[in-house]
């Protein structure tokens, strides 16, 4: 496998469920990101991990909980979500450098909260 | 994060060149100009980036104004597969994060 892989591709969950989104990168990068893309809205940066430490958390509600056990894997744990959390969740990775690093995205998980 | 301004949508005929503009009047000297595109049902993908000089790669060309307050992404021959949302992003060399705007939705007409 190459690139950034996200699973599952689609997820339907109720508001009381607990689920996790998984992201794996095979590029040897040292930074990983979670973005949220709601319908007809720009991508919103949620979390950033650099060298396995969280370096950014953009006021994301606590019902979203990220985990980065190593530089290749990133999880987003979900619990007691709301219908407005329905969106495309995108994972990305990069090799941290000054200004010219490139982001590589996965295909995303389309989440529907009922 | 420095802001960019792009038209919401553009159309192009297939096999013709496309010029996608981006204004970034508040750009600083250390900001790199990045372009990404997002095809339907996919995550964004890197297209090109530059600092001061024009850049070419196999996907596109990037023309940067002399004062760096604007740039243009050039697709030399648009194909149907180029239909996507194109994002222009500024990123400085201190490692600020990638913030995406609303981008330009490009429609390619057969």
């Amino acid at each position: 496998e190459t690139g950034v892989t996200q699973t599952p591709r689609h997820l339907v969950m109720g508001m009381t469920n607990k689920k996790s989104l998984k992201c794996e990168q095979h590029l040897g990068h040292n930074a990983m990101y979670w973005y949220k893309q709601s319908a007809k809205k720009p991508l919103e940066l949620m979390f950033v991990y650099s060298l396995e430490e969280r370096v950014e958390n953009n006021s994301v509600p606590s019902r979203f909980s990220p985990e980065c056990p190593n530089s290749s894997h990133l999880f987003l744990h979900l619990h007691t979500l709301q219908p407005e959390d329905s969106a495309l969740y995108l994972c990305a990775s990069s090799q941290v450098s000054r200004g010219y690093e490139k982001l590589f995205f996965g295909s995303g998980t389309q989440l529907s909260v009922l | 994060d420095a802001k960019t301004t792009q038209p919401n949508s553009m159309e192009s005929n297939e096999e013709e060149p496309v010029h996608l503009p981006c204004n970034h009047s508040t750009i600083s000297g250390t900001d790199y100009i990045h372009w990404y595109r997002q095809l339907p049902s996919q995550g964004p993908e890197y297209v090109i980036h530059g600092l001061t000089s024009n850049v070419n790669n196999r996907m596109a060309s990037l023309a940067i104004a002399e004062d760096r307050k604007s740039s243009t992404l050039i697709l030399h021959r648009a194909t149907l597969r180029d239909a996507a949302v194109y994002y222009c992003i500024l990123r400085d060399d201190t490692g600020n994060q990638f913030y995406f705007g609303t981008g330009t939705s490009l429609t390619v007409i057969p």
Side-chain angles (χ1 to χ4, degrees), chain A residues 42-60:
Chain A
L43 280 80
E44 300 172 49
L45 180 62
M46 299 176 73
F47 300 105
V48 181
Y49 277 82
S50 180
L51 300 173
E52 299 161 43
E53 287 194 18
R54 192 189 308 180
V55 297
E56 186 131 347
N57 175 352
N58 278 349
S59 303
V60 179

Side-chain angles (χ1 to χ4, degrees), chain B:
Chain B
D1 47 310
K3 291 187 67 74
T4 62
T5 305
Q6 300 176 253
N8 286 335
S9 62
M10 291 183 66
E11 284 187 354
S12 173
N13 293 318
E14 194 177 10
E15 308 224 344
E16 290 188 358
V18 183
H19 291 234
L20 298 164
C22 181
N23 287 319
H24 28 79
S25 57
T26 59
I27 192 170
S28 72
T30 55
D31 283 337
Y32 284 79
I33 303 161
H34 289 249
W35 283 82
Y36 283 75
R37 71 179 186 181
Q38 187 173 17
L39 303 171
S41 303
Q42 294 188 30
E45 64 175 345
Y46 168 84
V47 178
I48 201 167
H49 76 273
L51 183 60
T52 56
S53 302
N54 294 344
V55 184
N56 299 296
N57 67 20
R58 65 173 180 81
M59 289 181 72
S61 296
L62 176 60
I64 301 172
E66 197 168 329
D67 63 5
R68 301 208 327 124
K69 294 186 176 182
S70 65
S71 61
T72 302
L73 180 71
I74 303 166
L75 307 179
H76 296 286
R77 289 179 68 232
T79 70
L80 297 179
R81 289 176 296 176
D82 291 322
V85 178
Y86 287 79
Y87 299 97
C88 170
I89 304 160
L90 299 184
R91 193 159 190 277
D92 68 26
D93 66 353
T94 64
N96 73 306
Q97 303 309 329
F98 286 89
Y99 289 99
F100 288 74
T102 53
T104 297
S105 179
L106 176 65
T107 300
V108 180
I109 302 167

